[in-house]
Amino acid sequence: MAELKVTAIKEGTVIDHIPAGKGLKVIEILHLSRPNGGVLLLASNVHSKKLGKKDIVKIEGKFLSEEEVNKISLIAPTATVNIVRDYGVAEKFNVEIPDEIVGILRCANPNCVSNHEYVTSKFYVVSREPLKVRCHYCERTMEESEILSNL
Ligand code: CTP
């Protein structure tokens, strides 16, 4: 086990290999207020062989929806999601930026129909590195910084 600095969790999700400094943003978009008292851990700037430095987020008692995994992929495309059960890693997968982003991102164009009518927002991923998406409705393109502030 690589990270003995941060305690293991019994049951829940470990989001590993987050680019250094992005862990807090991952926590923010998951709206983790922890009202039930589950443990939430953030390790930032931890040594990583693959990334040099990385962040890790551990959330006890939480399992991610597909929508949440897609949001994480936009912030932290290198992230690995580990599902922990009874102290063991039961499942592990890499997040992947989908080809279409539906319902999780607001269009930055204030005049876009998706900001005025009850339509579900939809974007096409035109580039993954650097991240760039195009709105299905108004064709406005958004780059990483705009995407992160409109999640
Ligand atoms: N983890 C945890 N609690 C557990 C089990 C694992 O917090 N009960 C965390 C580990 O600390 C690690 C991540 O989940 O950050 C993945 O665990 P594991 O697969 O054992 O670690 P590595 O082999 O280092 O993972 P990888 O190969 O993905 O780098």
Side-chain angles (χ1 to χ4, degrees):
M1 192 158 316
E3 292 313 326
L4 295 174
K5 279 183 211 157
V6 188
T7 189
I9 60 169
K10 181 172 191 286
E11 195 105 317
T13 302
V14 175
I15 309 162
D16 200 352
H17 306 116
I18 300 170
K22 296 274 181 70
L24 207 52
K25 183 74 188 170
V26 168
I27 292 172
E28 194 187 303
I29 59 102
L30 294 174
H31 304 295
L32 296 168
S33 54
R34 308 278 75 203
N36 305 324
V39 168
L40 169 62
L41 294 163
L42 166 64
S44 201
N45 287 333
V46 176
H47 173 75
S48 158
K49 278 192 205 115
K50 273 188 244 169
L51 301 175
K53 281 185 172 182
K54 66 175 180 180
D55 285 6
I56 307 172
V57 171
K58 303 192 183 193
I59 318 155
E60 204 159 43
K62 164 102 181 163
F63 299 97
L64 302 172
S65 67
E66 192 184 338
E67 193 173 280
E68 289 171 326
V69 171
N70 284 343
K71 277 189 181 183
I72 292 168
S73 77
L74 299 177
I75 300 164
T78 53
T80 310
V81 175
N82 299 273
I83 297 168
V84 176
R85 292 190 203 276
D86 201 15
Y87 286 105
V89 176
E91 209 184 309
K92 186 194 284 277
F93 58 89
N94 296 321
V95 301
E96 205 182 331
I97 298 171
D99 295 333
E100 292 183 7
I101 298 160
V102 179
I104 63 177
L105 188 61
R106 268 185 313 274
C107 185
N109 171 8
N111 298 320
C112 178
V113 66
S114 68
N115 285 320
H116 296 281
E117 306 289 334
Y118 287 105
V119 290
T120 306
S121 72
K122 181 170 166 175
F123 297 85
Y124 303 105
V125 174
V126 290
S127 162
R128 286 183 163 73
E129 221 187 317
L131 184 59
K132 201 171 170 184
V133 302
R134 190 179 68 243
C135 179
H136 167 73
Y137 296 99
C138 72
E139 300 198 330
R140 166 82 142 78
T141 59
M142 288 162 69
E143 294 182 6
E144 187 175 337
S145 61
E146 271 186 324
I147 292 167
L148 295 192
S149 54
N150 284 286
L151 269 175

